């Protein structure tokens, strides 16, 4: 079947790139035997007005996107949660991009009047968004298409599978929306409900960022910054679907950030097939974009930015600039950098365009320049040609860095890719290597030193058990807290009570308000880049400490909380007398502390005391003067009072 645009180009329709109204779209009816046509028409015809039917939207990543976090099953990968362990990171970052596409399509359908349902049986049409990174995700698509056909449901398939493999047998008789045609999903759904098969696959301009959107998590905005990539990995099918790099301009992305800030979003996830390649097609680069976005974030530390997956080649020249951004209090100190193998020979066969040494440079530089930096990576076990020695080098690399997050995947040959034609490693060897590397990875205990610490977290989601809320530290470590859902969308200080392999548990100590900076004793000037700070204040916060709490010392942190509480009470008090009495009490303590050094002149203690005294403000000195003057008056008046009291 030809694409709609191809059919129109053959006739006297509108010029290429012009969006035609639904009434002018050329359509091909479903080709079914006559015995089925009448029955099918009865099934799809509805007395409802177009735009009032119910749509079931399903987004497919991969079975490896399901996981467990310390025994709590989480539907992975939900916004606000981080599922770690044995699954493909390539699938993960691609899944995030697919979720963004699904949210945009759901938003347009909802704005047009369609109802959205999570129950497939209740829907009038199924919209299936697919991923082509690995075979299991495509197999899942095949299964749901078969179920839809058995249930006599009209089907629309979107995403990378139909875009990269439009002639699949499984896609016969279903409508298709290409990855760059998601802004026309309403047209496709309307025509499919009428009984037509519609296919929109030709690539045009990038979809607008201001399309209606229905977020799965209202606190998380998934922001695509570009589509496609500059690489040509021999195992990757996504390039066939998403194509060459196409970047949104900086102004449009900044405009989108401004819009979502006013809609209550608390986290922005930058998504892309390769974040590091951003802008190379339009004459800008990733640091330029990141600095422009950070400048738009609220000044109170209430919103966080998470940078998406980036391959090593395109950030090597910008490591220091990216480190500057990652140090900002309103940016998670976390980056996903896939290595895929610890062997240069395998990386060359994959056409990854970097060496193991260059990957180490990325990791070493970021961990050195960014306090608390967390890096996740990916490994593909059993790539064609991988020897036991190659695999041993991969294990050594993982052991060297003890990454808290490693996404482990077995090699899946994808049809049409160069790697699919390479000589395969025996399946038994691939599985053995995967199990061995998983055992090494799971032996790490990256969070065992966190128990008892105080950490600032940003809470954005609910765990699948319905009891715990999911938050993340500045380093994007997942923290589960038992708290009411009213805390969603807030930031809090928590004490880490226990830890597991994939995340930690905490108890809420204090909820941080958006209107004020807190925890003054934990100012960490190093957390802001010099270029981001003016007059010792971070560019993305009113005070550096307001969005960069770090629990390095329990005692200091406790004192900081008490100090903050005391200061708040003092500011709230309007009783001048009470305030003066409190100041006198504090002054008394200060006087007691400094009185001893004045007894012996010429000592170090005396110099230190004088230094403390010189640091007093004018009000402290005035109060001290009043106290001495009062004492003198009392001494002078006592003899006079005694004389008057004696009998004559």
């Amino acid at each position: 079947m030809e694409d709609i645009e191809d059919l129109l180009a053959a006739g006297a329709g509108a010029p290429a790139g012009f969006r035609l109204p639904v009434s002018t779209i050329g359509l091909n009816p479903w080709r079914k035997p006559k015995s089925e046509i009448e029955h099918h028409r009865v099934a799809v015809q509805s007395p409802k007005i177009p735009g009032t039917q119910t749509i079931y939207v399903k987004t497919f990543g991969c079975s490896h996107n399901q996981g467990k976090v310390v025994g709590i099953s989480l539907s992975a990968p939900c916004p606000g949660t981080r599922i770690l362990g044995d699954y493909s990171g390539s699938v993960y970052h691609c899944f995030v991009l697919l979720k963004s596409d699904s949210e945009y399509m759901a938003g347009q359908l909802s704005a047009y009047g369609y109802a959205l349902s999570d129950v497939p049986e209740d829907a009038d049409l199924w919209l299936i968004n697919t991923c082509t990174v690995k075979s299991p995700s495509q197999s899942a698509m095949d299964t749901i298409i078969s179920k839809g056909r058995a249930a006599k449901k009209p089907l629309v398939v979107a995403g990378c599978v139909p875009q990269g493999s439009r002639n699949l047998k499984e896609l016969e008789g279903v409508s298709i929306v290409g990855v760059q045609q998601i802004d026309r999903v309403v047209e496709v759904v309307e025509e499919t409900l009428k009984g037509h098969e519609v296919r929109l696959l030709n690539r045009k301009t990038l979809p607008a960022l201001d399309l209606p959107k229905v977020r799965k998590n209202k606190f998380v905005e998934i922001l695509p910054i570009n589509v496609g990539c500059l690489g040509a990995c021999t195992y990757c099918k996504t390039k066939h679907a998403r194509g060459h790099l196409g970047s949104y301009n900086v102004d449009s992305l900044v405009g989108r950030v401004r819009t979502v800030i006013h809609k209550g979003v608390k986290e922005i996830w930058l998504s892309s097939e390769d974040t590091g390649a951003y802008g190379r097609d339009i004459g800008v680069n990733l640091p330029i974009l990141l600095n422009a976005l950070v400048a738009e974030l609220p000044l109170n530390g209430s919103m966080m930015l998470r940078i998406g997956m980036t391959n090593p080649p395109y950030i090597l020249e910008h490591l220091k600039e990216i480190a500057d951004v990652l140090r900002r209090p309103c940016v998670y100190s976390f980056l996903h950098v896939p290595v895929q193998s610890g062997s240069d020979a395998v990386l060359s066969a994959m056409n990854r365009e970097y060496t193991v040494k260059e990957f180490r440079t990325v990791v070493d530089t970021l961990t050195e320049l960014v306090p608390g930096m967390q890096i996740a990576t990916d490994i593909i076990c059993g790539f064609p040609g991988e020897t036991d020695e190659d695999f041993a080098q991969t294990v050594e690399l993982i052991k060297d860095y003890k990454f808290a997050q490693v996404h482990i995947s077995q090699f899946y040959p994808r049809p049409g890719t160069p790697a699919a034609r390479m000589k395969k490693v025996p399946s038994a060897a691939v599985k053995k290597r995967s199990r061995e590397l998983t055992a090494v990875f799971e032996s790490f205990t990256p969070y065992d030193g966190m128990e008892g610490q105080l950490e600032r977290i940003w809470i954005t989601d609910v765990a699948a058990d319905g009891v715990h809320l999911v938050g993340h530290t500045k380093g994007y470590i997942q923290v589960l807290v038992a708290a009411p859902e009213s805390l969603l969308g807030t930031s809090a200080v928590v004490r880490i009570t226990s830890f597991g392999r994939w995340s930690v548990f905490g108890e809420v100590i204090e909820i941080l308000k958006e209107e004020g900076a807190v925890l003054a004793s934990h100012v960490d000037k190093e957390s802001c880049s010099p270029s981001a700070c003016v007059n010792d204040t971070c560019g993305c916060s009113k005070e550096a400490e307001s969005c960069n709490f770090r629990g390095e010392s329990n005692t200091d942190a406790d004192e900081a909380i008490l100090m903050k509480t005391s200061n708040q009470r003092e500011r709230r008090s309007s009783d001048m007398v009470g305030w003066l009495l409190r100041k006198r009490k504090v002054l008394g303590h200060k006087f007691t502390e400094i009185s001893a050094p004045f007894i012996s002149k010429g000592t170090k203690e005396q110099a230190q005391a004088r230094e403390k005294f010189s640091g007093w403000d004018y009000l402290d000195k005035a109060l001290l003067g009043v106290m001495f003057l009062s004492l003198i008056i009392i001494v002078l008046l006592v003899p006079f009072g005694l004389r008057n009291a004696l009998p004559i």
Side-chain angles (χ1 to χ4, degrees), residues 1 17 48 86 100 134 160 264 310 426 455 488 525 545 594 596 643:
M1 175 176 291
K48 296 180 181 179
D86 187 9
S100 177
K134 294 170 67 176
C160 293
T310 178
E455 295 282 349
L488 286 171
K525 298 298 182 184
E545 65 275 14
I594 68 169
R643 286 196 300 271

Side-chain angles (χ1 to χ4, degrees), residues 224-256:
I225 63 173
N226 57 266
V227 299
C229 67
L230 293 175
C233 300
T234 56
Y235 57 84
C236 183
K237 184 74 172 178
T238 306
K239 182 65 177 278
H240 296 189
R242 297 277 175 175
H244 199 64
L245 180 68
S247 303
Y248 287 94
N249 63 57
V250 174
D251 290 341
S252 63
L253 292 166
V254 168
R256 181 63 183 174

Side-chain angles (χ1 to χ4, degrees), residues 137-186:
S137 56
Q138 184 168 328
S139 298
M141 179 206 73
D142 297 343
T143 300
I144 195 171
I145 287 177
S146 298
K147 290 181 179 179
R149 284 181 171 139
K152 306 296 182 184
K153 301 289 185 180
L155 302 173
V156 176
V157 179
C160 293
V161 171
Q163 186 74 64
S165 305
R166 64 183 68 184
N167 295 320
L168 284 176
K169 182 179 178 181
E170 290 78 9
L171 296 176
E172 292 180 2
V174 303
S175 293
I176 291 175
V177 181
V179 294
Q180 293 185 22
Q181 299 279 12
I182 61 173
D183 55 342
R184 299 182 65 179
V185 66
V186 171

Side-chain angles (χ1 to χ4, degrees), residues 551-570:
E552 296 175 358
S553 168
N554 294 343
T555 302
D556 292 344
D558 290 339
E559 292 176 356
I561 293 174
L562 292 174
M563 180 186 299
K564 179 236 178 191
T565 303
S566 176
N567 291 339
Q568 284 181 335
R569 289 173 179 170
E570 185 169 314

